[in-house]
Amino acid sequence: MVSIPKGATRKDRYLNVEQMTDLFYVFRDRRYSESWGKDYTQKAHQSLGLFLVQYLCNGFNMADAVLLTYNNFYFQSGGNAFQFNRKKTAGRSENGAEVIIPIIEPLRYILDDIAAKPEMDKLVFPWILNGATDERVIRRLTSQENSNVQDRVIRICEDVLKWEVRPSGTWCRHSFATNLRNAGVDINYISESMGHASNNNSVTELYIEHYPLEKQMEYNSLLLNVGDKKRSQKELLMKQLSSMSAEELQKLLANAK
């Protein structure tokens, strides 16, 4: 069992790279509980994908996710990066905090599964708002989606991975910052990539000067242990079996006879 103690500060509320990688493999392999109904399993899969997107998209929040579009920057980058103004900081400066998100391969894999096909100025996740344009309705649907994702990811952690954790969307932001910091990534990159603008320079100018897309890809690839470290189905099975109690193993063997 993986247990993260309840802390007095938000610094304790994060999942490490290995845990986030485990969640990614659950998504990739659709490794969900057989006791779940087909409809719930699909919703849980979609919610897990959105949770991972929040983490891999520089820890942005649900309000950013629902308004994320395939804008001109996306197509100019060859579909390799998103650009948006972080909603939470929009009221703190004239133009808000502009953020560039490198689309690393695991993120692309998730987008290919749960996101809409790229169209100029169209929403990446249109199914969240389902066409709503009224600000009050958008806030309500965003809050509901945030709650759905949290509930379903918690259930995945408990039923599939046997973890004693109750992560929320906020954990994605803390996990992004903490895991890159622990990997030794430049703290200025972490700050800027999360929309913490400094001085009077735009984040875009800082990225262009100090963090070209290739470097952003390199840094964000540290968020998951995939690629050359890809684990086989056998390794995943052994990891799952090792987390089971003796009683659970006996029941599993009895059912296999």
Side-chain angles (χ1 to χ4, degrees):
M1 299 288 281
V2 177
S3 179
I4 296 178
K6 183 177 180 181
T9 69
R10 290 183 175 183
K11 294 179 181 179
D12 296 317
R13 302 171 189 172
Y14 79 98
L15 297 176
N16 62 35
V17 172
E18 287 301 322
Q19 291 168 315
M20 283 296 191
T21 302
D22 284 341
L23 285 171
F24 174 75
Y25 281 121
V26 169
F27 177 88
R28 188 198 68 179
D29 301 330
R30 291 180 177 265
R31 187 161 47 94
Y32 303 110
S33 173
E34 294 181 357
S35 65
W36 296 352
K38 182 178 180 180
D39 183 59
Y40 182 83
T41 297
Q42 180 55 35
K43 289 179 179 178
H45 178 72
Q46 194 174 58
S47 290
L48 176 57
L50 196 50
F51 181 83
L52 290 166
V53 164
Q54 288 181 261
Y55 171 60
L56 297 174
C57 284
N58 299 10
F60 70 8
N61 59 31
M62 190 63 70
D64 296 319
V66 300
L67 298 179
L68 186 66
T69 63
Y70 294 111
N71 61 13
N72 190 53
F73 186 92
Y74 171 84
F75 290 100
Q76 286 185 341
S77 73
N80 289 314
F82 288 121
Q83 176 199 47
F84 73 101
N85 279 16
R86 186 164 183 253
K87 186 172 178 61
K88 191 171 184 179
T89 57
R92 300 179 189 174
S93 62
E94 184 179 349
N95 298 315
E98 196 171 65
V99 176
I100 307 297
I101 297 172
I103 301 178
I104 62 174
E105 283 307 309
L107 176 55
R108 189 182 305 281
Y109 181 91
I110 297 169
L111 294 172
D112 287 344
D113 192 324
I114 69 171
K117 293 187 179 301
E119 291 185 58
M120 180 65 76
D121 295 328
K122 297 295 184 180
L123 293 173
V124 178
F125 306 108
W127 43 268
I128 300 176
L129 298 183
N130 198 26
T133 57
D134 181 81
E135 187 63 31
R136 289 174 298 180
V137 176
I138 290 175
R139 286 198 299 269
R140 177 176 59 79
L141 292 175
T142 300
S143 177
Q144 182 60 59
E145 190 66 29
N146 201 49
S147 178
N148 288 341
V149 168
Q150 178 175 349
D151 291 345
R152 292 164 187 163
V153 170
I154 287 174
R155 190 168 180 185
I156 288 169
C157 289
E158 293 176 343
D159 293 2
V160 179
L161 295 170
K162 310 301 181 184
W163 293 351
E164 293 182 346
V165 295
R166 299 181 62 82
S168 67
T170 305
W171 285 43
C172 295
R173 191 163 180 80
H174 301 320
S175 299
F176 174 85
T178 302
N179 291 336
L180 287 190
R181 181 198 64 192
N182 290 345
V185 172
D186 182 357
I187 193 66
N188 289 325
Y189 171 81
I190 299 173
S191 179
E192 291 165 17
S193 65
M194 296 176 73
H196 298 162
S198 58
N199 301 324
N200 294 319
N201 298 320
S202 73
V203 174
T204 299
E205 290 172 345
L206 290 169
Y207 269 98
I208 291 173
E209 182 179 357
H210 299 120
Y211 306 109
L213 188 56
E214 292 80 6
K215 179 59 68 174
Q216 296 175 51
M217 290 284 190
E218 177 188 333
Y219 283 157
N220 278 34
S221 292
L222 297 171
L223 293 168
L224 295 175
N225 285 334
V226 296
D228 293 337
K229 297 180 180 180
K230 187 179 292 184
R231 290 169 291 185
S232 67
Q233 290 289 336
K234 181 179 179 180
E235 289 173 316
L236 289 170
L237 178 59
M238 292 302 296
K239 183 178 180 67
Q240 186 176 20
L241 290 173
S242 65
S243 69
M244 299 175 68
S245 66
E247 183 179 4
E248 289 173 326
L249 286 171
Q250 288 178 349
K251 184 177 180 180
L252 179 64
L253 291 174
N255 291 336
K257 293 180 179 180

